[in-house]
Amino acid sequence: MTAPNVFTIPPGAPFLDVLADALLSGRLVGALGPGDLADATIYLPTRRAGRAFAAALARRAGRSLLLPRIVPLGEALLGRSAGDSVSYETPTGARLEVEITSVEGIATLLVRLDD
């Protein structure tokens, strides 16, 4: 079993900009070749976050690039409540389990990836 790859973004940091920088610089998943980014899949909470992330990638890259597939998790969770979950199959065949949890009354998403 491989060790989990954990990347942390500090509270208060511009999340999408930091994520874009980490992806483009290779800190998130290692060095990417010219076409590798287009083969990636990025899961974000909403379509709005997906559009903003695409814009952050374009700003940070400073050049033309093929964007990754950006999947909004929130659409499948609309109308659901704490304890509900949704499963996705990733392009590599792994299962991505998203569960709605409640921490001190604030709804959060708990994401688990099973290889």
Side-chain angles (χ1 to χ4, degrees):
M1 179 177 206
T2 59
N5 183 7
V6 177
F7 180 77
T8 304
I9 298 175
F15 180 83
L16 296 174
D17 287 334
V18 172
L19 182 61
D21 282 341
L23 185 61
L24 293 171
S25 71
R27 290 187 327 237
L28 188 61
V29 293
L32 297 172
D36 292 341
L37 187 60
D39 293 333
T41 301
I42 306 293
Y43 295 91
L44 292 171
T46 63
R47 281 186 289 176
R48 182 177 177 185
R51 288 189 303 271
F53 181 65
L57 280 173
R59 273 194 319 273
R60 299 297 196 197
R63 58 181 168 76
S64 297
L65 62 122
L66 295 173
L67 293 175
R69 178 174 176 234
I70 300 172
V71 178
L73 296 172
E75 291 178 14
L77 298 171
L78 288 176
R80 298 179 185 252
S81 57
D84 291 344
S85 65
V86 174
S87 290
Y88 294 88
E89 184 169 334
T90 69
T92 62
R95 300 294 304 163
L96 182 70
E97 184 78 24
V98 181
E99 181 181 344
I100 301 174
T101 62
S102 180
V103 178
E104 296 180 11
I106 299 171
T108 60
L109 297 180
L110 175 64
V111 180
R112 186 182 75 231
L113 178 63
D114 295 323
D115 292 333

